[in-house]
Amino acid sequence: MRLIVTAQNSLPQSPVDQRFGRCLWLLLLDTESNHWQAFPNPGVSQPGGAGVAAAQFVLDQQVDVVISGDFGPHAARAFSAAKVDMRLFTEDVHTVQEAVDRYHHQGLPSFQ
């Protein structure tokens, strides 16, 4: 499985970023190989349409799950159409690694 988490920095120990379209980093984890990759969010510097630009980048990475604090309506529609699972941080999740661990062991709420 491939999942992306919104982050404030480029490491799995970095704080999560509550924003999807304006997050600084998108951290990709391939759970089969346990390989992490960090990507600067291409949407962060967009004057408009940040969520759409970030969503297109995420879809290009062929992910199964996206974990963030919130999703804008355009990004949410794109992910729904592509059947990408959207999950939300809970308030006790502080780092990217915690978000992934929580997703795997206890689950995270679905975005609806």
Side-chain angles (χ1 to χ4, degrees):
M1 171 184 1
R2 294 167 58 87
L3 60 87
I4 279 188
V5 182
T6 56
Q8 295 180 22
N9 294 303
S10 62
L11 299 172
Q13 299 79 19
S14 73
V16 294
D17 197 321
Q18 295 294 324
R19 307 162 297 170
F20 175 73
R22 298 280 178 198
C23 71
L24 295 177
W25 291 89
L26 297 162
L27 272 63
L28 170 67
L29 172 63
D30 183 321
T31 61
E32 291 181 20
S33 66
N34 203 34
H35 178 72
W36 286 94
Q37 285 181 275
F39 301 98
N41 177 5
V44 75
S45 61
Q46 299 284 331
V52 172
Q56 185 57 59
F57 177 81
V58 168
L59 292 173
D60 290 346
Q61 304 311 307
Q62 301 177 339
V63 301
D64 304 292
V65 179
V66 180
I67 304 172
S68 187
D70 198 12
F71 298 90
H74 299 295
R77 275 194 294 275
F79 291 140
S80 290
K83 298 189 181 350
V84 172
D85 188 16
M86 292 173 281
R87 296 297 175 130
L88 297 171
F89 302 131
T90 54
E91 60 186 48
D92 58 339
V93 170
H94 303 287
T95 69
V96 171
Q97 186 65 60
E98 287 175 0
V100 170
D101 291 345
R102 182 71 51 88
Y103 173 75
H104 284 302
H105 300 293
Q106 299 167 337
L108 289 171
S110 292
F111 176 80
Q112 297 185 4

